[in-house]
Amino acid sequence: MPAWLMQPRTGGLLLLAAIMVLVYLAAPNNFYLDVAIQIGLNAIVVVGLNLLIGYAGQISLGHAGFFGLGAYASAVLPAHFGVPPLAAPVVGMLSVGLLAFLVARPILRLKGHYLAMATLGLGILVFMLLTNESQLTGGPDGMAVERLRIFGERISGKDWWYLITAAMLLLSVWLTLNLIDSPTGRALRALHDSQIAAQVAGVDVARFKVIAFVYSAMLASLAGSMSALYSGFVTPDKAGFIHSIELVIMVVLGGMGSTFGGILGAAVLTSLPQFLTVFAEYEHMILGAILMAVMIFLRRGILPSTLDLLARRRTG
Amino acid sequence: MSQLAVEHLSIDFGGLRAIDKLSFEIAPGTIHSIIGPNGAGKTTLFNLITGIYTPSEGCILLDGEEVTGLPPHLLARRGMCRTFQNLQIFERMSAVENVMLGRHLHESKNLLGHLLRLPGVVEENRRSRAKSMELLELVGLGEQADAPAGALPYGALKRLEIARALAGQPKMLLLDEPAAGCNAVETQEIDAVIQTVAGQGVTVVLVEHDMHLVMNISNHILVLDYGRKLAEGTAEEVRQNPEVIAAYLGQQAEEAAAHA
Ligand SMILES: Nc1ncnc2c1ncn2[C@@H]1O[C@H](COP(=O)(O)OP(=O)(O)O)[C@@H](O)[C@H]1O
Ligand SMILES: [Mg+2]
């Protein structure tokens, strides 16, 4: 294979696109397409979150909050402020970006457990806000979302949303891979391994943490907005703690510091519960056992650990 | 005018005064060595000069301007680069990427350009890589450029740190025991690199235990003991200083004198 095809940005993206086409052609019915769309939406969040957690080494247990804000931007802005549904995700992303920018500096001065607690608190704050502002958000029951129209055409079918999600995921991956292989990406990866050495080389560590935080928050918001427009309904639990944890598990499971690994993690964790329902009440136990097994045997995450094994088999 | 001036500098860790009212100057374009027994405060002094620690008292002047309390990344902009005694390597990045990071201040900050991978960024990556490769060759690590830094042996990492520091195109380079743990051949390579760099007009501040290396290449030596200045001067002056011989050099100094 030519060298230029072995790069994540070329071969990796092409492979991802090919898998997307195959899944679309092979999906026996709409149920599978729906699962695939859910995977894609989570994957968009995970691609951004992996930049923050896996590459820059900064934990966040609150990113479902940004997802939720994006989702409610799609719901509330058209319903109460007359913003067209197509513009709502953009307004949502910009607002979430601004919010993330404002909280990032004080929060990201913290490290480890303290950072985890602070981001957790931020997520809970958003969840409470969405639950309690019931005149605007419909409270715990949620609210309906006006359907997206493009050139007068109502976008609601699974085929449409599969296409949109696939395109947005490819775009997010492309942008993120570009960033990782740039001076900004090197600064982010460097501060993960040695903050002091990065600073001494002139890296304004605070600035780059803010960049990763804002970028990942905006991708989460975008996915949230798309999710709301797709399902036609929003509830606060998509902004909740459990969803935040799920997103982090996807990153860790698939592979911290591996963009495609994170997507694999999103695919596994989103689809497993759907297919484990045949085990009825044992579903959660089996899911837990799988997670533990992966972390024990493939510690660096499914994709990086597997690639390592393959490489070692080939050379040794 | 001196390039770096330190005046009445002190720092306390709890009850311990690691640097005690220390004053000295470093002239531009010289190799300035700082020696002293373990725990004398050499690394602490480096951490103060590069902004990692804030002094309890005293001040630091760089090119005649006060820089006391400035954070490390702003001092880096004024041409200060350093290596670490206890390695600070970006282990998940390749060797050449470690050096490329050293060029951070000479690379673009255009975030949008980085996201969209504009042609300028591709060209910049290519140029950064080429310059970093040259530095890896200089320290003898050209072969290992694409190896993950975490997989390299200790001696290689010591030299990788030097290459990364040089990538910043420093006006002042601080090396904290660059030859510690290296074998004779590696030490000689490091010696040659230091001389090359100094020959290009870069001020080198060197902390090193290898007295042979220090005595051979230093224009000026500062001897520290318990955070205080014990003596300073040329290699010859320091070698003959009775206090230094009594307190520290002793056997080593006589050996070095015999060699010289
Ligand atoms: N961060 C710190 N906290 C507490 N004590 C420190 C710290 N850094 C250095 N010290 C103490 O300061 C003294 C000088 O240490 P150091 O500068 O590492 O010496 P050297 O580099 O000359 O061997 C030692 O007694 C050391 O234990
Ligand atoms: Mg030391």
Side-chain angles (χ1 to χ4, degrees), chain B residues 13-33:
Chain B
F13 296 116
L16 177 84
R17 174 151 279 216
I19 293 290
D20 191 5
K21 294 204 176 58
L22 182 66
S23 302
F24 67 93
E25 294 188 357
I26 292 178
T30 55
I31 300 181
H32 198 109
S33 287

Side-chain angles (χ1 to χ4, degrees), chain B residues 136-157:
Chain B
L136 281 179
E137 304 278 353
L138 178 73
V139 300
L141 290 175
E143 305 275 293
Q144 284 94 325
D146 289 309
L152 296 180
Y154 183 83
L157 294 180

Side-chain angles (χ1 to χ4, degrees), chain B residues 36-44 46 85-86 176-177 207 209:
Chain B
N38 276 327
K42 304 178 296 291
T43 298
T44 303
F46 269 24
Q85 178 185 356
N86 59 339
D176 198 349
E177 304 201 13
V207 167
H209 279 300

Side-chain angles (χ1 to χ4, degrees), chain A residues 38-217:
Chain A
Q38 302 292 351
I39 290 174
L41 293 173
N42 278 329
I44 293 173
V45 188
V46 166
V47 165
L49 198 57
N50 209 345
L51 187 78
L52 182 70
I53 298 178
Y55 287 94
Q58 310 298 310
I59 186 74
S60 169
L61 297 182
H63 263 56
F66 299 126
F67 184 94
L69 285 174
Y72 276 86
S74 283
V76 173
L77 293 177
H80 296 288
F81 301 97
V83 176
L86 189 57
V90 179
V91 178
M93 257 175 101
L94 293 176
S95 315
V96 165
L98 182 65
L99 172 72
F101 178 76
L102 292 176
V103 299
R105 239 166 228 271
I107 282 188
L108 289 163
R109 217 174 305 160
L110 305 172
K111 288 192 180 112
H113 301 328
Y114 300 102
L115 178 60
M117 284 299 126
T119 50
L120 179 67
L122 178 68
I124 291 175
L125 211 67
V126 171
F127 175 77
M128 298 306 281
L129 190 82
L130 295 175
T131 311
N132 293 337
E133 290 297 314
S134 42
Q135 304 98 310
L136 222 51
T137 65
D141 297 333
M143 67 184 286
V145 181
E146 193 182 317
R147 290 297 187 174
L148 184 62
R149 280 173 193 284
I150 296 175
F151 302 125
E153 177 111 16
R154 193 157 164 266
I155 309 290
S156 61
K158 297 247 183 319
D159 298 310
W160 268 117
W161 277 103
Y162 187 85
L163 182 67
I164 296 172
T165 307
M168 288 318 235
L169 178 57
L170 285 172
L171 180 65
S172 319
V173 173
W174 181 68
L175 291 174
T176 306
L177 291 176
N178 287 346
L179 198 64
I180 289 164
D181 183 28
S182 78
T184 300
R186 285 192 286 277
L188 287 174
R189 287 182 285 151
L191 72 87
H192 187 179
D193 283 338
S194 170
Q195 207 155 302
I196 283 190
Q199 281 175 308
V200 164
V203 175
D204 181 351
V205 163
R207 174 174 180 263
F208 284 93
K209 287 183 185 176
V210 170
I211 287 174
F213 194 72
V214 170
Y215 180 73
S216 60

Side-chain angles (χ1 to χ4, degrees), chain B residues 9 11 18 21 27 47 50 80 110 128 147 172 174 176 180 193 207 227:
Chain B
L9 199 69
I11 187 167
K21 294 204 176 58
N47 285 340
T50 53
M80 186 119 79
N110 176 2
S128 252
M172 177 176 275
L174 296 91
D176 198 349
V193 169
V207 167

Side-chain angles (χ1 to χ4, degrees), chain A residues 9 174-175 178 181-184 186 189-190 192-194 196-200 202-204 207-208 215, chain B residues 52 72-73 76 82 84 88 90-93 97 100-101 104-105 107 109 111 114-117 125 164:
Chain A
R9 212 177 309 102
W174 181 68
L175 291 174
N178 287 346
D181 183 28
S182 78
T184 300
R186 285 192 286 277
R189 287 182 285 151
H192 187 179
D193 283 338
S194 170
I196 283 190
Q199 281 175 308
V200 164
V203 175
D204 181 351
R207 174 174 180 263
F208 284 93
Y215 180 73
Chain B
I52 292 166
H73 71 271
R82 70 170 283 187
F84 296 86
Q88 296 286 333
F90 309 126
E91 298 191 345
R92 275 165 276 219
M93 295 163 71
E97 281 181 320
M100 286 166 84
L101 191 279
H104 180 77
L105 288 173
E107 294 183 316
K109 282 189 171 173
L111 186 58
H114 295 173
L115 273 170
L116 298 174
R117 199 172 169 81
N125 270 347
R164 182 178 67 194

